[in-house]
Amino acid sequence: MAINDISLTSGMRNNLLALQQTSSAVSQTQQRLSSGKKVNSALDNPTNFFAAQSETQRASDLNDRKDGMSEAVQTIQAANAGITGITALIQSAKGLASQAASTNDTTAQATYYSQFLSITSQITTLASDSGYRGTNLLTNGTLSIEFGQKTGDSNLTISGVNGSAAGLGVSASATWVGSTADATSTSAFMDNALSTLRSNASTLASNLSVITTRQDFTTSMINTLQTGADNLTLADMNQESANMLALQTRQSLGTTALSLSSQAAQSVLKLF
């Protein structure tokens, strides 16, 4: 039966319209209560929806940058651990050079030299083992960290160094060929290497400070963006709960009013 074939009184149509509007409001309030948002789509509030979406996307991009910063911190810490280990090895090598310089016993010097060779070999090995996820700052590796939302907006590039025995100038061929005089001069090479390592460690510490500062800033910025987006879209759950109670009451009253308005039409049946 077509809708035009049904005749409703004016009172019934008004009450039916009011009931439909109330039902629609109940559905909207239920959605807000279930999602926790008063703006769930562009239809609810285009301005707030797209503004909140923009801030949320920006927060997501910055959160991805935080992951890169965390990886950069681990790379620097790996390099720093390598420097600490190499420093200890060089100090041991320096001690061997001092012991060799204090004796004229060629047999003892040969023993010291053999130990020295082993230590310098370990320096090179340790440097090559100080990488993290494919980046090693002690084998001339380069680390690039992005801070900004867009690539290239804000970044930091850390250039690595050569932490091998040859790179630090403490290889056996360069510092010691077995004589007492060479053993004495080796200490000077060791001191230069230690000075270089301290300078490298200082540079890494400075870069690490920059990264951690940007991490803290990025975390704060993400929180600000998310809070701003929430202020535009989140619903007041107390208010929505009160609205639901009021709408349910209105819906019940609307049903009763519709029933009452139909009684006038039903009274016609009494004539038959």
Side-chain angles (χ1 to χ4, degrees):
M1 179 182 292
I3 191 170
N4 291 334
D5 296 333
I6 301 174
S7 297
L8 299 176
T9 65
S10 176
M12 291 179 67
R13 288 188 181 280
N14 290 335
N15 284 303
L16 180 59
L17 178 60
L19 191 59
Q20 290 173 336
Q21 291 174 339
T22 301
S23 179
S24 176
V26 168
S27 297
Q28 183 184 58
T29 303
Q30 286 177 333
Q31 184 183 34
R32 290 178 176 178
L33 287 171
S34 62
S35 67
K37 294 183 177 182
K38 64 182 178 182
V39 179
N40 289 283
S41 69
L43 296 177
D44 296 328
N45 188 320
T47 301
N48 286 10
F49 177 78
F50 288 112
Q53 190 177 60
S54 175
E55 300 307 323
T56 300
Q57 289 174 346
R58 185 182 174 194
S60 178
D61 291 341
L62 290 177
N63 194 60
D64 291 340
R65 295 304 188 198
K66 274 187 64 180
D67 294 338
M69 294 178 213
S70 296
E71 292 296 282
V73 168
Q74 298 307 312
T75 302
I76 292 176
Q77 289 181 342
N80 185 65
I83 288 176
T84 300
I86 291 171
T87 298
L89 290 175
I90 288 179
Q91 288 173 339
S92 296
K94 183 179 179 181
L96 287 173
S98 297
Q99 292 176 23
S102 65
T103 181
N104 292 322
D105 187 339
T106 56
T107 301
Q109 285 191 1
T111 300
Y112 291 139
Y113 180 67
S114 176
Q115 294 173 351
F116 184 86
L117 285 175
S118 177
I119 289 178
T120 55
S121 175
Q122 286 300 316
I123 289 174
T124 300
T125 301
L126 197 155
S128 66
D129 290 340
S130 299
Y132 178 80
R133 296 193 66 176
T135 301
N136 192 334
L137 295 177
L138 296 186
T139 57
N140 293 314
T142 300
L143 179 64
S144 182
I145 310 101
E146 293 287 346
F147 299 127
Q149 181 183 1
K150 296 181 180 179
T151 301
D153 282 353
S154 177
N155 53 46
L156 174 67
T157 299
I158 302 174
S159 298
V161 297
N162 188 346
S164 66
L168 293 172
V170 294
S171 63
S173 60
T175 61
W176 190 351
V177 293
S179 70
T180 302
D182 289 330
T184 302
S185 65
T186 299
S187 293
F189 287 99
M190 296 297 147
D191 289 338
N192 290 335
L194 289 173
S195 177
T196 298
L197 288 173
R198 293 189 188 100
S199 177
N200 293 337
S202 177
T203 300
L204 288 178
S206 177
N207 289 323
L208 182 61
S209 177
V210 172
I211 295 172
T212 54
T213 298
R214 290 304 300 250
Q215 275 185 312
D216 293 340
F217 168 77
T218 302
T219 299
S220 178
M221 196 64 191
I222 289 173
N223 183 66
T224 298
L225 292 170
Q226 290 177 334
T227 299
D230 289 344
N231 289 339
L232 293 172
T233 60
L234 289 187
D236 184 334
M237 303 306 286
N238 292 325
Q239 180 180 347
E240 296 302 331
S241 296
N243 288 343
M244 177 59 74
L245 181 59
L247 288 169
Q248 288 174 339
T249 301
R250 184 189 300 176
Q251 194 173 42
S252 178
L253 292 174
T255 302
T256 301
L258 182 60
S259 177
L260 292 173
S261 64
S262 68
Q263 289 181 2
Q266 291 174 354
S267 64
V268 177
L269 293 175
K270 297 180 181 178
L271 299 176
F272 298 96

